[in-house]
Amino acid sequence: MTMCPACGRELAEDFSFCPFCAAALRERSEEPREQRKTVTVLFCDVTGSTSLGEQLDPEALRSLLARYFERMKAIVEGHGGSVEKFIGDAVMAVFGVPVVHEDDALRAVRAGAEMRDAFGDLGISGRIGIMTGEVVTGTAERLATGDAVNVAARLEQAARPGEVLLGTPTLALVRNAVDVEEVPPLELKGKQAPVLAYRLLAVAGAAPRRHEAPMVGRERERRLLADAWERVRAERSCHLFTVLGPAGVGKSRLCAEFIADTTDAELVQGSCLSYGEGITYWPVVEVLKQLREAELDEAAAGTLRALLGEEELPTSSDEIAWAFRKALEAAAAVRPLLCVFDDVHWGEDTFLDLVEHVADLSRDAPILLLCMGRPDLLDQRPAWGGGKVNSTTVLLEPLADDETDRLLESLADLDEGVRARVREASEGNPLFVEEMVAMLRESPEGDVAVPPTIQALLAARLDQLDPEERDVLQRGSIEGRLFHRGAVEALGAGANQVPARLTALVRKELIRPDKSQLPSDDAFRFRHLLIRDAAYDALPKATRAELHARFAEWLIGRGAAPVELDEILGYHLERACRYRAELGLEPDEELQRAARSRLADAGRRALMRHDYAAARNFFERALQLVPAGTSDYALELDLVDAVHSAAGPRQALAMAESAAGRAAAAGDRIGAPALRLAAAFLKLHFDPEASPESVAALAEEALPLFEAAGDDVALYHVHLIRCRLAQFRLRYDEQLAQAELAAHHARASGRPHLQAESFRWLAGPRFYGSTPIPELLRWLEEQQPVLPAVTHKTYLSAALTFVGRFDEARALLAELRHEYAERGVLARLGGLTSQNALWVELFAGDAEAAARFGEEGCAILERAGEQGLLSTSLCFLGQALYALDRFDDAEASADRAAELGGGEDAATQMLWRQVKAKVLARRGACPEAERLAREAVAIADGTDKIDWCANAYSDLAEVLLLAGSPEEAATALERALALYERKGNLVLAERSRSRLRELAARPASTHS
């Protein structure tokens, strides 16, 4: 006797399978290739089969089981499911194979209820388990595989005779169509945690969709948009208009209709990428490529060229925002500008800052910033556009019934019954309406089913496509919402047929042609991102891993590529690695290394433009690709730098210490000490027990190790820390030497972000140290082409002050103040500029103007919470107040500075003493005044900050003169003069000579 290999039943001659299994196999043979699908699995089994075997004759038992199998199969197929296999007395059925229906879960539950009722007719007892989840179908075994299959089987085994148990995911899809009761959590074999289940009591009719929000029309939103545009044109102003709403509610349609009616605008558009962690400027680049050419300030033009990858220039997010605004303003000067940004809920914080920067600071420029996004934008930015007179935000609600009818009339000629069902199922969501009508056109039965979710609706529609067309969509989904024909062909979708299939998909309104990002290629965009997601989700993870890697290879081979190539390649290579890991495959070290390299390079570029949040994101993702048991300390240090800049030294310290532990465990003899050194330096920012000496000792210990290894990255970091330690002690000549060593190793490392960081440390020590002012001026002139403009203007204005060119210095500082105000940059920069302006006016002899600038700068720093800078600025303000004879105010400033300044802060400790000493001397408290003045000189003598040291001697001379010691005062002044002359401080040198002449001319009697 021959048995069926699938179910064990006896076979007639010349048959390989019994009729039931043969039918199931024939249906499965039509299943295309391997796919991921969300399906509902049903297991049904006979209970008490052993006792039945004892009670019934074998032939009778065989006949009973045959009727049971036939009845169960008919019920399953009657509800649109398919019998996957027979296992002894059990039946496994799947709803969603071979074709997905949007109501598969409800069909399975109805089938389960009918099967339960059929047990009595058959004279047997049985139990049923139903579970919904993602499975893989179309495998070599031709069976659906996934956790949903296992859980459905366990639910069936846990059910009592005559009982149907539903899993939680199934109940979520059919909740409004069933009556259930919860059973105690089940301990199921193979599941770590108890599983919730529900006993099916009854099944009602089709589940009506619940309206979560009131339905509203679009007339008000159209009026608001039109009014905003008229205001933009009439007032020549910038307006931020944001349209928010859930997926498919009609944001794109509303804006498209407005754009179509707006014929007097220059239109530019950009979209945030759904996968753009860190891809900050993609929409900005899209807009820049569409803008007509206009004359721009060279600084702005250079910044934009750097953003577009046309030049290698250091820049920052603030400069990019400013330059982009200037480009928009230039375009708007020719014609009113309509700048549209789509999917802003995916925008990086830096991009959102840029949009708000343009909205806040554009002047005399007719620009409408039209943004579209989902309501979760407000989770990220609760105050988006709030309270601004130049901002409007509208939230789109579902369409009302009459509006849904009008939309239906524009799409198809439907009878009232079908229209009513579509209206009910769509819940007023225009996307639901459009997709359901599209399905009606392609469905010969004209069946209108109720999709439990929009994902199920789209999955059902895509599953009904021709397999080759679906294949094109799935391969296009690898690239993203916008994809290129060449990519689809390269990913193996039948190159000869791809153009025809793309045309068919355009005709079916699943995709539309779009502007290509690559030369000599055609581009297409999914009409809705959710269509892309549905196509992508259907791909098995193994296929996704392979296709992501192949797409990256194809994009590299294209030559010409998008501006943010590393970000895009890093994403695709990372996805390939991640899917391999999820599948438990052996790591592909070459793939991991390529992904890590791309993400790291993207992070380092973000670091160079001061986009610290994006840099952190890239570095963290790159570090996840470091092989277990190994260390990438350079990447860890980059992450520490990004976190320090974005979140402060405490968070950065925790990361540095953790990374040092991992490096030590991996046996990294360079990385572990480098990271420990970074952690020790970070402690200096907030830990009162940390000392520069302990950090210096660590650096001294690490340096020979790094030199022996010839590791330029480690050597760069150790010299940069020694550079900053020297600055902390006001040892500027030593700082310059260390900065030049750091710059040397940065160049040798070949890492542009290290070179850019090291370069900015070369100007400060030249100004504050022993470098003469004429030499500094020559250096600034030579380095102007490569120095950041802000750095150049800051130090040039200070140097010009020393040589008495006050008007030129004032002009440079005015430019800086204007640029900071224009760009809306960090408040601390405005505070520093005010501090520099104070010194210009003190040197020029206008103490009143100096005090105004000092009070302004301190207020700015106070608001920004910049405590360290504030303590020094309060001392400078005290000098200006003293010059105005406002001694009480000068003393208050000095006392506040002493309170804020740390014990290791040599600058503040020196400066507050100088101000306080002069005030005390004016009040006759000369012994205390002289003590403080000499303490300030002692601190200054321990530094090489020549001009400050000279100032300390000059202030000591003032105190000594007030104390009646003119000879000692003259000695102190002579010391100050020598230092001023050595530095090239012409203004204060001449002032010191004048005071010495006055002292020499005084009668001898006044010297006592």
Side-chain angles (χ1 to χ4, degrees):
M1 182 176 65
T2 305
M3 308 297 291
C4 174
C7 67
R9 286 194 287 270
E10 183 180 347
L11 293 177
E13 290 184 16
D14 300 324
F15 284 91
S16 301
F17 292 88
C18 73
F20 306 111
C21 295
L25 288 171
R26 280 196 302 272
E27 291 180 4
R28 285 199 298 271
S29 70
E30 298 171 2
E31 176 74 15
R33 64 188 66 191
E34 187 174 323
Q35 295 281 305
R36 292 179 73 94
K37 294 183 176 183
T38 297
V39 302
T40 300
V41 181
L42 180 151
F43 267 86
C44 171
D45 195 10
V46 175
T47 60
S49 57
T50 301
S51 61
L52 276 174
E54 293 178 348
Q55 300 169 17
L56 297 177
D57 179 83
E59 289 186 34
L61 177 60
R62 174 183 171 183
S63 177
L64 173 61
L65 291 177
R67 292 197 307 273
Y68 158 71
F69 284 123
E70 289 172 1
R71 183 71 176 274
M72 297 300 109
K73 182 174 183 295
I75 292 173
V76 168
E77 292 176 349
H79 287 280
S82 60
V83 174
E84 187 80 354
K85 62 181 175 178
F86 297 103
I87 309 170
D89 298 334
V91 177
M92 173 187 169
V94 180
F95 292 79
V97 176
V99 178
V100 170
H101 303 93
E102 58 271 12
D103 59 347
D104 278 323
L106 184 56
R107 294 182 185 210
V109 171
R110 285 174 171 167
E114 189 173 343
M115 294 164 80
R116 177 188 61 188
D117 296 341
F119 290 148
D121 296 339
L122 293 168
I124 60 175
S125 178
R127 57 194 179 188
I128 297 171
I130 303 176
M131 182 64 178
T132 301
E134 195 172 38
V135 300
V136 177
T137 67
T139 61
E141 294 79 13
R142 313 301 293 166
L143 301 175
T145 56
D147 190 54
V149 177
N150 300 327
V151 174
R154 302 302 182 201
L155 289 174
E156 174 262 305
Q157 294 165 6
R160 296 181 301 193
E163 194 170 69
V164 179
L165 291 185
L166 310 182
T168 300
T170 303
L171 179 63
L173 294 169
V174 301
R175 187 181 302 275
N176 297 321
V178 297
D179 292 328
V180 298
E181 63 181 16
E182 188 173 351
V183 301
L186 302 175
E187 299 286 344
L188 301 183
K189 182 179 178 181
K191 305 299 290 184
Q192 294 182 349
V195 175
L196 296 178
Y198 304 85
R199 183 180 297 112
L200 178 66
L201 302 178
V203 182
R209 299 200 61 83
R210 294 179 300 173
H211 298 296
E212 301 290 343
M215 293 189 178
V216 296
R218 298 288 184 261
E219 291 77 14
R220 185 181 71 88
E221 291 82 3
R222 288 295 304 274
R223 286 197 303 271
L224 288 172
L225 259 173
D227 291 343
W229 179 244
E230 286 306 313
R231 245 186 346 267
V232 163
R233 295 171 65 250
E235 300 174 6
R236 295 190 62 79
S237 62
C238 182
H239 194 95
L240 172 61
F241 198 106
T242 308
V243 182
L244 298 178
V249 78
K251 303 181 294 293
S252 298
R253 176 178 294 128
L254 170 67
C255 294
E257 291 176 357
F258 167 72
I259 292 170
D261 292 340
T262 308
T263 58
D264 57 342
E266 180 81 12
L267 174 65
V268 290
Q269 302 181 76
S271 296
C272 299
L273 295 182
S274 60
Y275 59 78
E277 297 165 339
I279 304 185
T280 305
Y281 292 108
W282 183 268
V284 175
V285 170
E286 282 189 299
V287 166
L288 288 173
K289 289 180 177 179
Q290 298 166 50
L291 283 176
R292 66 175 64 194
E293 291 188 9
E295 291 189 6
L296 288 178
D297 172 86
E298 178 54 32
T303 297
L304 296 181
R305 287 195 298 272
L307 177 62
L308 292 169
E310 298 170 2
E311 291 185 19
E312 285 285 342
L313 292 174
T315 185
S316 68
S317 54
D318 300 318
E319 290 172 334
I320 290 171
W322 165 75
F324 181 68
R325 175 167 60 83
K326 287 301 182 183
L328 294 186
E329 289 174 349
V334 179
R335 192 179 185 197
L337 184 66
L338 175 54
C339 181
V340 182
F341 288 119
D342 199 3
D343 295 330
V344 293
H345 53 280
W346 282 310
E348 295 284 342
D349 281 335
T350 301
F351 167 74
L352 298 177
D353 289 341
L354 176 146
V355 174
E356 291 194 314
H357 166 95
V358 174
D360 288 339
L361 298 178
S362 287
R363 297 291 181 267
D364 194 33
I367 302 171
L368 179 61
L369 296 171
L370 179 53
C371 297
M372 292 175 277
R374 296 181 186 172
D376 47 8
L377 170 69
L378 299 182
D379 295 335
Q380 183 180 357
R381 289 290 181 107
W384 177 262
K388 299 176 183 175
V389 296
N390 65 332
S391 175
T392 304
T393 300
V394 297
L395 178 64
L396 292 190
E397 301 291 354
L399 299 174
D401 283 353
D402 61 330
E403 294 167 330
T404 301
D405 284 339
R406 292 202 299 271
L407 177 57
L408 281 167
E409 290 170 0
S410 71
L411 293 171
D413 184 17
L414 304 175
D415 64 62
E416 179 52 34
V418 174
R419 183 182 299 171
R421 292 198 297 275
V422 173
R423 183 169 58 240
E424 179 184 8
S426 69
E427 293 190 85
N429 186 301
L431 174 59
F432 277 54
V433 173
E434 294 172 8
E435 295 303 321
M436 292 189 75
V437 170
M439 287 181 68
L440 279 171
R441 295 196 194 104
E442 299 170 11
S443 173
E445 297 81 15
D447 182 33
V448 179
V450 179
T453 64
I454 190 171
Q455 289 85 356
L457 174 72
L458 293 170
R461 182 176 179 201
L462 296 184
D463 216 38
Q464 293 171 19
L465 287 173
D466 176 273
E468 286 74 20
E469 292 175 359
R470 185 168 64 242
D471 197 39
V472 166
L473 275 187
Q474 289 175 339
R475 274 142 180 75
S477 73
I478 291 293
E479 183 173 355
R481 185 172 182 182
L482 185 142
F483 64 94
H484 292 82
R485 172 184 49 79
V488 175
E489 293 170 344
L491 296 183
N496 294 335
Q497 299 298 321
V498 166
R501 291 166 186 163
L502 288 169
T503 301
L505 292 169
V506 170
R507 188 170 58 249
K508 293 178 180 180
E509 298 183 331
L510 287 166
I511 61 175
R512 59 180 172 82
D514 209 303
K515 183 177 180 181
S516 177
Q517 301 290 337
L518 300 172
S520 304
D521 207 342
D522 298 322
F524 298 87
R525 183 181 293 271
F526 286 92
R527 287 189 66 247
H528 302 284
L529 181 68
L530 294 173
I531 298 174
R532 180 264 173 187
D533 292 344
Y536 184 82
D537 291 343
L539 287 168
K541 289 185 177 180
T543 305
R544 294 182 209 169
E546 177 191 353
L547 294 180
H548 277 295
R550 284 169 56 187
F551 173 78
E553 183 179 352
W554 172 80
L555 189 57
I556 293 171
R558 287 283 306 180
V563 171
E564 293 183 316
L565 177 63
D566 286 324
E567 290 85 336
I568 294 172
L569 291 175
Y571 165 80
H572 287 284
L573 295 168
E574 174 192 25
R575 298 306 299 176
C577 294
R578 183 171 298 177
Y579 286 131
R580 289 180 59 85
E582 290 176 5
L583 293 170
L585 301 176
E586 283 294 322
D588 184 328
E589 293 185 5
E590 185 177 348
L591 190 66
Q592 285 185 325
R593 186 163 48 251
R596 187 168 73 249
S597 174
R598 293 290 183 174
L599 290 171
D601 286 347
R604 287 158 184 160
R605 270 202 311 279
L607 207 59
M608 288 176 67
R609 64 176 181 254
H610 301 172
D611 189 355
Y612 300 118
R616 177 176 181 173
N617 175 276
F618 284 123
F619 292 144
E620 287 178 338
R621 289 162 57 195
L623 283 166
Q624 289 176 1
L625 297 169
V626 174
T630 65
S631 168
D632 188 338
Y633 84 90
L635 195 53
E636 298 274 15
L637 285 171
D638 287 337
L639 175 60
V640 168
D641 285 346
V643 172
H644 183 199
S645 299
R650 293 180 187 272
Q651 280 194 35
L653 173 63
M655 286 196 163
E657 290 178 334
S658 176
R662 289 193 297 274
D668 188 344
R669 299 182 59 220
I670 300 299
L675 287 159
R676 283 196 295 268
L677 178 60
F681 182 76
L682 286 166
K683 282 186 180 180
L684 293 178
H685 291 78
F686 60 87
D687 188 344
E689 297 183 2
S691 69
E693 289 74 19
S694 64
V695 180
L698 278 177
E700 192 71 25
E701 181 183 337
L703 184 57
L705 292 175
F706 300 165
E707 288 176 336
D711 192 311
D712 286 303
V713 173
L715 287 166
Y716 158 80
H717 280 283
V718 74
H719 285 300
L720 187 65
I721 284 179
R722 296 180 87 182
C723 161
R724 299 181 71 177
L725 287 172
Q727 179 195 39
F728 210 68
R729 300 191 303 268
L730 304 186
R731 305 293 300 178
Y732 289 99
D733 290 346
E734 179 184 339
Q735 182 192 11
L736 178 58
Q738 292 297 324
E740 288 177 334
L741 284 170
H744 165 75
H745 289 292
R747 287 191 298 272
S749 75
R751 304 196 178 199
H753 73 297
L754 300 185
Q755 296 176 48
E757 175 66 14
S758 66
F759 199 80
R760 77 181 186 89
W761 290 95
L762 297 174
R766 280 182 163 82
F767 173 74
Y768 293 114
S770 62
T771 303
I773 293 298
E775 183 179 329
L776 172 63
L777 287 170
R778 285 194 300 272
W779 185 84
L780 287 171
E781 183 178 0
E782 293 168 358
Q783 301 299 323
Q784 182 176 2
V786 292
L787 271 177
V790 168
T791 303
H792 183 263
K793 290 178 182 179
T794 298
Y795 288 107
L796 180 58
S797 66
L800 292 174
T801 301
F802 276 25
V803 296
R805 293 160 64 177
F806 303 128
D807 288 341
E808 294 174 67
R810 289 186 182 107
L812 286 169
L813 289 175
E815 288 178 19
L816 279 176
R817 290 166 65 83
H818 176 70
E819 288 174 19
Y820 291 153
E822 277 269 296
R823 301 179 191 188
V825 296
L826 295 173
R828 67 186 296 273
L829 297 178
L832 288 172
T833 307
S834 298
Q835 175 182 296
N836 291 345
L838 175 153
W839 278 109
V840 172
E841 300 308 333
L842 270 183
F843 271 57
D846 190 344
E848 192 169 325
R852 282 199 308 273
F853 280 121
E855 288 167 346
E856 174 190 78
C858 288
I860 291 172
L861 294 171
E862 185 96 52
R863 288 194 298 271
E866 290 283 353
Q867 183 171 307
L869 293 171
L870 178 60
S871 65
T872 307
S873 294
L874 283 166
C875 296
F876 297 151
L877 172 60
Q879 293 283 12
L881 295 171
Y882 177 83
L884 290 171
D885 294 339
R886 292 169 55 183
F887 302 131
D888 290 345
D889 293 337
E891 183 178 32
S893 284
D895 289 343
R896 178 87 195 286
E899 178 186 337
L900 293 176
E904 301 290 342
D905 184 353
T908 299
Q909 294 303 323
M910 173 175 62
L911 294 170
W912 78 258
R913 283 174 166 83
Q914 292 172 226
V915 176
K916 181 92 169 183
K918 291 193 291 186
V919 171
L920 290 175
R922 287 285 181 179
R923 293 175 177 160
C926 293
E928 177 66 8
E930 186 174 343
R931 181 185 68 80
L932 288 176
R934 292 192 182 280
E935 287 178 0
V937 166
I939 295 171
D941 279 340
T943 76
D944 50 21
K945 191 170 176 57
I946 295 179
D947 56 317
W948 283 25
C949 191
N951 292 340
Y953 276 103
S954 180
D955 286 342
L956 173 62
E958 173 114 346
V959 169
L960 291 170
L961 190 60
L962 291 168
S965 302
E967 292 85 358
E968 290 184 80
T971 301
L973 267 178
E974 288 168 354
R975 176 63 177 153
L977 174 59
L979 291 170
Y980 285 137
E981 288 177 336
R982 179 181 165 196
K983 182 64 181 174
N985 188 335
L986 304 183
V987 174
L988 295 188
E990 180 54 37
R991 199 166 293 172
S992 297
R993 291 190 197 94
S994 177
R995 292 176 65 191
L996 283 169
R997 287 194 293 270
E998 290 175 5
L999 276 175
R1002 294 176 64 179
S1005 60
T1006 64
H1007 292 184
S1008 59

